[in-house]
Amino acid sequence: SLDVELITGKLHSLKLDNNKLMDADFELTRDCFSTPAFAGLRILQMRSNLLVFPMLLLPRLRELDVSRNRIIRVPPLVGVPSLQKLDLSRNCIEELDARTWTECQAYDLNLLNLSVNKINIQPTGLLQVLEAMATNTSLAELRLNENSFCCYFAEYQMLCIQCLPDLEVLDHMHLGSSTHKAKQDFVKTAKNFFGVAVKNHITADGKLMDYVNSVDSFTNGTREYKLNELNR
């Protein structure tokens, strides 16, 4: 018989930082006392390991920190419906898939950290992701800084505010609540940013052409923006 028996079903917090874990498959199997394993887990920290694609089925989990690993994409969020905080910073994520967020069941997710990854996404793709986040999460804090796309789409923060006007923290900016005038002004500016004339000129036939800033204006990952024209 065992001198010490770990009843995992009663664990509320688990820290597995600074190991060499390559896999994390937390599912509701049963431990030796026929209690759903990890069913009561609220906080899970697995920082600084070797995780690539963790699979989680933890219905009561509220906080997950898997920063400083080797994760290649955002894991499915269908098995963590109570999740509120997710830290995926300093990993190897290269792309964001809108389906991850359209299928997301973590409706109470209010903090998402994706900073310092290798995310390379076109503005139209980012728009789809942000729109899905707006529908299926409750984000108040979002960090996307120090990713590959930030270099050629510096205006992404405006797009984030346009799609997620309730954000209180964006990257290193503390925006405050929606009742603050500074926040209200920023949200108003962001909402108007994509769709305002940024340049105009008179054409040969005498028409005034407006070059309109839109998400489609930033498509090829270069400094050469494709600008839409509107007759006026």
Side-chain angles (χ1 to χ4, degrees):
S1 63
L2 296 175
D3 294 331
V4 178
E5 293 174 317
L6 176 63
I7 305 178
T8 57
K10 293 186 177 181
L11 279 176
H12 282 191
S13 178
L14 180 59
K15 299 181 70 172
L16 297 170
D17 300 339
N18 300 301
N19 287 285
K20 296 183 180 180
L21 297 176
M22 301 180 67
D23 184 27
D25 190 358
F26 283 84
E27 296 187 2
L28 291 184
T29 54
R30 293 184 175 271
D31 62 16
C32 55
F33 285 91
S34 297
T35 304
F38 304 104
L41 199 62
R42 304 292 199 277
I43 301 173
L44 177 57
Q45 295 183 359
M46 294 186 289
R47 294 175 295 208
S48 300
N49 281 286
L50 303 174
L51 301 176
V52 175
F53 192 64
M55 297 294 292
L56 302 173
L57 183 57
L58 299 169
R60 296 186 181 180
L61 190 68
R62 295 178 182 174
E63 300 182 18
L64 175 61
D65 187 344
V66 284
S67 58
R68 299 178 183 273
N69 277 277
R70 298 179 180 178
I71 296 172
I72 57 175
R73 62 181 183 270
V74 178
L77 300 176
V78 295
V80 283
S82 300
L83 193 64
Q84 298 176 4
K85 298 181 180 181
L86 175 58
D87 192 340
L88 287 162
S89 62
R90 299 183 182 277
N91 276 284
C92 301
I93 299 172
E94 295 185 356
E95 60 183 27
L96 296 178
D97 188 346
R99 285 186 304 174
T100 302
W101 304 101
T102 55
E103 298 172 358
C104 172
Q105 295 182 8
Y107 301 115
D108 293 326
L109 185 68
N110 59 64
L111 184 155
L112 174 62
N113 191 345
L114 288 167
S115 63
V116 198
N117 274 279
K118 301 177 181 179
I119 298 172
N120 189 4
I121 187 171
Q122 298 297 336
T124 49
L126 181 60
L127 175 61
Q128 295 174 352
V129 169
L130 292 173
E131 288 177 338
M133 288 180 177
T135 300
N136 295 319
T137 70
S138 304
L139 283 178
E141 180 172 344
L142 175 62
R143 297 181 184 270
L144 292 170
N145 53 292
E146 297 188 55
N147 275 288
S148 302
F149 75 92
C150 301
C151 298
Y152 60 81
F153 186 45
E155 299 83 356
Y156 76 91
Q157 292 176 328
M158 290 291 190
L159 186 60
C160 291
I161 293 296
Q162 178 180 336
C163 295
L164 301 165
D166 293 329
L167 284 178
E168 297 180 6
V169 177
L170 176 58
D171 296 339
H172 300 301
M173 295 187 297
H174 291 265
L175 307 171
S177 66
S178 57
T179 58
H180 294 171
K181 186 178 186 305
K183 167 70 176 296
Q184 293 173 347
D185 292 342
F186 190 19
V187 171
K188 183 178 179 180
T189 301
K191 286 184 176 180
N192 292 332
F193 181 78
F194 292 98
V196 300
V198 293
K199 181 180 180 183
N200 61 70
H201 73 279
I202 303 297
T203 63
D205 57 359
K207 293 181 179 180
L208 178 63
M209 304 295 294
D210 286 338
Y211 289 82
V212 177
N213 202 25
S214 70
V215 175
D216 291 329
S217 302
F218 310 88
T219 57
N220 57 6
T222 72
R223 295 292 180 181
E224 299 177 358
Y225 297 155
K226 181 182 69 178
L227 298 174
N228 293 332
E229 293 184 350
L230 292 180
N231 286 330
R232 189 174 71 182

